[in-house]
Amino acid sequence: MALLEVKNLKVDYPLRGSWFSKKRFLHAVDNVSFAIEQGETLGLVGESGCGKSTLAKALVRLEKPSAGTISIDNVDIASLQGKALRKARKDFQMVFQDPYGSLNPRLSIKSALEEVLMLHTCLDSAGRLQRMQELMNMVGLNPELINRYPHQFSGGQRQRIGIARALAAEPKLLIADEPVSALDVSVQASIINLLQELQKTTRIALLFIAHDLAVVEHISSRIMVMYLGRVLEIAPAGELCSRVLHPYTAALISAVPTLEKRHSQRIKLSGDVPSPLAPPGGCAFHPRCPFATEQCRKERPELREIAPGRFTACFHASENRDFSC
């Protein structure tokens, strides 16, 4: 049984219109299903605006799902409200993209960590202090700095504090929403290595979201590809990049710069990403897909298992076809 199971999840935003116009919705997350095992890292990639961050916020109930289920250890958190939801938050936490805006500038690091411990644990004052010192050591920071404020730390250090705060309640699931995109390249590797080391020691499940496929491949055991609110492909990290079963994934991989890659190997997609306010009929990718047929324009392909552990939403995908070739 998977630790996290997401089934047919939808997040819709109502659009403003005139009194007499038909009510319309923006489908930010459209019928998404996937699972994460304990101790596993699932990477999530896709272009800006594809719904990655909305999905992350829905998983931690910062956005209310419009439909579907989100089960952690067989508890559907999508249906929880009030006190039950606050109690369940101990099991899932999030690391945000912006290390500068995710910490309260008026709270010292001690106060920020203690706030979580008081809410989700039964530790006394001495126990909380000991736990805070352990957390600072876990993320590679000197516990003696605990009384300082966020502005006294660098961006990388602030992200380490954000990770410590997320781990304070010992959650089962950690969602990292582009945790290194706002950091210098020199700092990104240290944060990724920290997450990998923490996962080994805590056996926490990790959903790692990024737009950089090379980074996601490095940290993830499986990768999920999103486009316009829908999942187009799920595969083991090594297999996804060596044998591609969806044309959109092939285009993403071809855009990753390598020393061996020639300029002619870049797959250039025609047109722009369709507006989520007016998504195309059929397959959402068909206006930009070089393999699109009349069936793609009229029918929406569902995510299906092509090979063991390989899922794709493409009418033309097969176990023996590689779209990257």
Side-chain angles (χ1 to χ4, degrees), residues 162-200:
I163 293 171
R165 183 181 59 181
L167 294 176
E170 300 183 12
K172 300 173 183 177
L173 171 68
L174 181 65
I175 297 171
D177 184 14
E178 302 206 31
V180 298
S181 63
L183 304 176
D184 293 339
V185 175
S186 59
V187 181
Q188 291 182 6
S190 65
I191 297 299
I192 291 170
N193 291 337
L194 172 64
L195 288 171
Q196 288 180 307
E197 186 62 32
L198 290 172
Q199 190 182 37
K200 289 179 183 178

Side-chain angles (χ1 to χ4, degrees), residues 94-96 102-103 157-167 174:
M94 187 168 177
V95 177
F96 295 90
S102 60
L103 295 173
Q157 290 174 321
R158 293 188 203 190
Q159 197 61 291
R160 289 173 182 268
I161 294 165
I163 293 171
R165 183 181 59 181
L167 294 176
L174 181 65

Side-chain angles (χ1 to χ4, degrees), residues 61-253:
R61 289 298 309 274
L62 295 179
E63 293 286 356
K64 187 176 180 180
S66 306
T69 60
I70 306 169
S71 298
I72 297 180
D73 270 353
N74 290 324
V75 177
D76 181 15
I77 64 170
S79 62
L80 297 180
Q81 299 291 336
K83 185 181 293 187
L85 177 59
R86 288 193 294 272
K87 183 178 180 180
R89 287 191 185 280
K90 181 181 186 298
D91 293 332
F92 52 90
Q93 292 292 317
M94 187 168 177
V95 177
F96 295 90
Q97 177 179 352
D98 182 9
Y100 299 94
S102 60
L103 295 173
N104 188 335
R106 298 186 178 186
L107 291 182
S108 67
I109 305 310
K110 178 181 179 182
S111 297
L113 294 177
E114 191 166 33
E115 189 176 54
V116 179
L117 293 173
M118 291 179 68
L119 185 63
H120 292 298
T121 72
C122 298
L123 297 173
D124 59 15
S125 179
R128 290 196 299 271
L129 179 59
Q130 182 179 350
R131 176 61 178 161
M132 286 185 281
Q133 292 172 338
E134 290 174 358
L135 288 167
M136 293 289 279
N137 281 319
M138 284 174 64
V139 298
L141 293 175
N142 188 338
E144 294 180 2
L145 304 178
I146 202 169
N147 289 311
R148 293 190 178 184
Y149 287 80
H151 72 272
Q152 297 175 285
F153 294 89
S154 67
Q157 290 174 321
R158 293 188 203 190
Q159 197 61 291
R160 289 173 182 268
I161 294 165
I163 293 171
R165 183 181 59 181
L167 294 176
E170 300 183 12
K172 300 173 183 177
L173 171 68
L174 181 65
I175 297 171
D177 184 14
E178 302 206 31
V180 298
S181 63
L183 304 176
D184 293 339
V185 175
S186 59
V187 181
Q188 291 182 6
S190 65
I191 297 299
I192 291 170
N193 291 337
L194 172 64
L195 288 171
Q196 288 180 307
E197 186 62 32
L198 290 172
Q199 190 182 37
K200 289 179 183 178
T201 56
T202 63
R203 293 292 295 164
I204 196 172
L206 175 63
L207 177 63
F208 185 88
I209 302 171
H211 60 269
D212 189 332
L213 188 56
V215 171
V216 172
E217 182 187 8
H218 173 74
I219 195 174
S220 306
S221 48
R222 288 188 302 138
I223 298 176
M224 181 166 69
V225 181
M226 281 188 74
Y227 182 81
L228 216 61
R230 293 180 63 85
V231 174
L232 297 188
E233 187 166 1
I234 303 176
E239 292 184 26
L240 181 85
C241 297
S242 62
R243 186 166 57 91
V244 184
L245 297 183
H246 197 285
Y248 176 64
T249 308
L252 285 181
I253 293 174

